[in-house]
Amino acid sequence: MSDFANAIAKPEFAFKGLCPDLVAGEAARRKDGKLWCMPGGYAYVFKYKTFLPDKFWAIKCFSKLPPNLAIHYQTVSTYLTQSAVAHYFVFFKFIEKGIRTTDGKQHPILKMEWVNGANLKTYIRKNISDSTKLKKVAELFFKMCQELATHKVGHGDYHHENIFVVEEKGKISLKLIDYDSFYVADWKKDLDEVTQGYDGFQHPLRAIQVTKRCLQVDYFSQLVIYLSILAFAEDKSLWHKQRIDDRDGLLFTVNDFREPDKSAIITALSGYIGEISRVTDILKSVCTIQDIYQISPLENMLVSSGAEPMFSSLTNVSESALYAKALEPPFTLHPRFCAALNISSGRGLDISNKKCAFLSEGGSSVLLLGKIAGAACEVVIWTLNIKAAPSDVFTLENFRAFSLAKV
């Protein structure tokens, strides 16, 4: 690290003739006067400010260059310029000869936009008493996982430091950083693994069975993170009880995944009421599978288990009318929502200005089949598997869907 630190502290020497837009700038420092630096497996990330434009950047300097990394980053960059999920990532540029160290050697760098937010662990710590905010983060995380799964996009290294929560003008959004192990299934390439990830977020079989990049490693990590956020939102005392500040991770360790039946935290979460208990049961089940490639996307795991995610997967349709048809009666409202909505089932059901209710018929998890006014596509709220002819039209206005998905 010292070679890169000494170099970046002298930008005119480090970047002249290599990366001209970084010459007029300076490395950021912490309160103690030391350079802001985050070490990684084979790289160091420095916070850097340019004067023109007046902007912060993350400069990733590689002490060891994995094979084909330059080609990989060019491929990722090209993909993200035309991808529907690009908003979850930050602008970056790989420069093969980007920085000069004091010994005169030239090294590759990755120049990335600085994310003005907090990593997931820091954000949860700061907002541990704000259940509403944490549930919003869980909602956004669930939605992001759905969208990435739909487009078959893998990150490969989910953990608390690679997920950033950004708050701007009262709006919360998520960003992913670190794209060394980025993967798109449609590339149809056998790309070697470049990391085995943080232990507290990885299935134990990853290190044993996975040699090529795949989406399944993400699905497990996403489940772990989703459950962790929900648990902290529900019970803030977990932060201190589990001594989260003293560990390198969030709520779980690899030993919890190796022996879930002996895990104190998994046993504790199984005793919670409602969503947390159901998702914990899913985690226990997935931990015991014998083939990591059998792990399903987060949404599929929740659906197949009967646990209903509570969040929107497509859009907020506030101030639009959703003209929907109820399933042919008889049907019943999911009891978890009856009290909250203060409505009853039956013909002529009217839940205007209310959040949608989960319906159940024949044991299948379903909701409402409908169409957004002015929109071309039909939508379902949840996964609709029942083919009975719908009837009984009613209207929902100023409506925010928990789970909208294209048919």
Side-chain angles (χ1 to χ4, degrees):
M1 181 185 75
S2 59
D3 288 344
F4 290 122
N6 291 335
I8 205 168
K10 303 174 182 177
E12 288 191 7
F13 172 82
F15 300 119
K16 187 175 182 180
L18 301 177
C19 197
D21 54 336
L22 294 180
V23 173
E26 61 183 2
R29 296 182 180 274
R30 302 183 187 274
K31 292 181 179 179
D32 60 5
K34 296 181 180 180
L35 291 179
W36 194 105
C37 179
M38 181 69 68
Y42 49 81
Y44 302 91
V45 178
F46 295 90
K47 185 177 183 180
Y48 193 85
K49 181 181 180 180
T50 54
F51 302 140
L52 189 65
D54 184 9
K55 190 173 183 177
F56 280 103
W57 303 87
I59 307 299
K60 187 172 187 177
C61 303
F62 296 90
S63 56
K64 175 185 175 182
L65 192 62
N68 302 316
L69 190 66
I71 296 174
H72 168 71
Y73 269 107
Q74 182 57 52
T75 303
V76 175
S77 178
T78 301
Y79 173 82
L80 290 178
T81 58
Q82 53 192 3
S83 172
V85 297
H87 56 287
Y88 291 120
F89 303 87
V90 300
F91 167 81
F92 67 87
K93 182 180 180 181
F94 182 84
I95 305 169
E96 193 159 5
K97 295 182 178 180
I99 189 170
R100 182 184 296 105
T101 48
T102 52
D103 59 4
K105 293 182 180 179
Q106 298 173 1
H107 305 269
I109 66 170
L110 190 69
K111 175 187 173 186
M112 301 172 287
E113 284 187 325
W114 185 262
V115 181
N116 290 314
N119 70 47
L120 182 60
K121 184 172 182 177
T122 300
Y123 188 87
I124 293 175
R125 182 195 300 115
K126 290 181 178 179
N127 295 279
I128 193 64
S129 297
D130 194 331
S131 176
T132 300
K133 276 191 175 182
L134 296 186
K135 287 180 179 179
K136 180 63 178 179
V137 172
E139 172 186 350
L140 293 172
F141 183 76
F142 180 80
K143 178 181 177 182
M144 179 182 72
C145 294
Q146 286 179 310
E147 292 186 24
L148 294 178
T150 297
H151 292 85
K152 300 179 181 179
V153 172
H155 180 274
D157 193 14
Y158 276 91
H159 59 77
H160 59 287
E161 291 182 345
N162 280 345
I163 304 168
F164 272 71
V165 185
V166 179
E167 283 194 66
E168 291 182 339
K169 299 179 180 179
K171 182 180 179 181
I172 301 176
S173 61
L174 300 181
K175 294 286 186 181
L176 296 175
I177 64 169
D178 192 349
Y179 313 138
D180 291 359
S181 51
F182 187 96
Y183 172 74
V184 179
D186 288 344
W187 287 347
K188 302 186 185 304
K189 296 179 180 179
D190 288 334
L191 299 177
D192 292 334
E193 278 269 72
V194 295
T195 179
Q196 292 183 350
Y198 267 65
D199 286 344
F201 300 89
Q202 308 304 322
H203 196 285
L205 292 178
R206 178 173 186 174
I208 300 171
Q209 296 182 349
V210 179
T211 58
K212 303 293 183 180
R213 296 180 205 181
C214 64
L215 299 177
Q216 286 77 14
V217 297
D218 278 3
Y219 299 155
F220 182 80
S221 301
Q222 290 168 352
L223 174 63
V224 169
I225 293 168
Y226 178 65
L227 175 57
S228 299
I229 302 172
L230 287 180
F232 287 127
E234 178 69 22
D235 185 0
K236 66 180 182 179
S237 70
L238 286 172
W239 190 272
H240 297 294
K241 288 179 180 178
Q242 299 299 317
R243 298 182 177 180
I244 306 301
D245 281 325
D246 298 331
R247 64 166 67 180
D248 188 18
L250 281 177
L251 201 51
F252 302 96
T253 69
V254 67
N255 290 331
D256 295 317
F257 306 144
R258 287 173 178 159
E259 297 184 291
D261 289 334
K262 297 180 180 179
S263 165
I265 184 60
I266 288 179
T267 300
L269 294 179
S270 295
Y272 282 57
I273 298 174
E275 186 80 0
I276 293 174
S277 175
R278 287 188 287 271
V279 179
T280 302
D281 289 342
I282 298 170
L283 178 63
K284 288 176 63 177
S285 176
V286 175
C287 284
T288 60
I289 67 170
Q290 300 302 307
D291 183 357
I292 195 172
Y293 296 100
Q294 297 301 313
I295 301 178
S296 301
L298 177 60
E299 181 179 20
N300 293 8
M301 284 190 275
L302 298 181
V303 171
S304 63
S305 70
E308 302 92 346
M310 302 169 62
F311 306 118
S312 171
S313 65
L314 184 62
T315 186
N316 184 339
V317 292
S318 172
E319 299 179 358
S320 296
L322 178 67
Y323 297 96
K325 295 182 178 181
L327 294 172
E328 184 71 40
F331 60 78
T332 57
L333 291 173
H334 192 292
R336 185 154 59 101
F337 291 88
C338 284
L341 295 174
N342 192 28
I343 55 178
S344 59
S345 60
R347 292 182 179 273
L349 178 65
D350 181 8
I351 52 176
S352 299
N353 300 314
K354 300 286 186 179
K355 292 180 177 178
C356 59
F358 281 86
L359 309 180
S360 175
E361 182 174 26
S364 298
S365 295
V366 298
L367 260 176
L368 310 172
L369 172 63
K371 192 177 184 69
I372 299 176
C377 64
E378 287 188 329
V379 296
V380 290
I381 308 168
W382 202 242
T383 302
L384 183 66
N385 295 319
I386 297 177
K387 297 182 178 180
S391 63
D392 298 341
V393 176
F394 56 92
T395 301
L396 289 76
E397 296 186 38
N398 296 327
F399 163 89
R400 189 173 191 279
F402 277 119
S403 183
L404 279 174
K406 291 183 180 178
V407 176

